[in-house]
Amino acid sequence: MTPNVLISQSEKELESRFADDFIAHVDGKKATTLRQFYEELADLLEIPDFGFSLDDLNDALNDLRWLEDDRIILYFTNTADLISKERDPVKLKNVLSMLDATAEDWKWTEDELDDKKEIILVFEESDRIRKLLDQEGIDYLEISKLK
């Protein structure tokens, strides 16, 4: 089974693979704190009534009824900067684990559900993001290696 997390070498590579899908582009330079990260995702995904916490993000990503698209690509660029100004490095690890778990949960949602979604996490290549994913035991694959 394909992992929930992919590594991209370029935006062109991403767009050639997922051109027909909803791509929410989160620029790590605009999301260096957890609050900025939440604000970016809330804006890009048009999350209604968002409370700017990890639990609220988890709840929103497990719903997504307001989005028409069935496949949502969360594309993170400038990953060396993503949530890099938080004093507690565990916060980013918690976000990564929650995102991976939520993407996995959608795979097991009942097929007859009308609003079934698929979430794919794509991170722009960086040593930092690979190290964090490895530390959290999150499987990932390079887009170029997809079949």
Side-chain angles (χ1 to χ4, degrees), residues 76-89:
F76 302 93
T77 58
N78 295 306
T79 55
D81 296 312
L82 185 67
I83 311 178
S84 62
K85 291 189 178 176
E86 283 296 323
R87 287 177 275 214
D88 185 356

Side-chain angles (χ1 to χ4, degrees), residues 35-84:
R35 177 66 184 207
Q36 291 171 334
F37 175 79
Y38 291 146
E39 289 171 354
E40 282 288 305
L41 274 179
D43 183 47
L44 292 167
L45 297 175
E46 300 175 358
I47 300 173
D49 303 317
F50 187 61
F52 300 100
S53 72
L54 190 59
D55 287 337
D56 287 333
L57 180 59
N58 185 41
D59 290 345
L61 292 176
N62 278 292
D63 184 350
L64 299 173
R65 281 180 279 169
W66 62 92
L67 294 178
E68 292 180 17
D69 299 87
D70 293 333
R71 185 182 294 167
I72 293 90
I73 311 300
L74 300 180
Y75 177 49
F76 302 93
T77 58
N78 295 306
T79 55
D81 296 312
L82 185 67
I83 311 178
S84 62

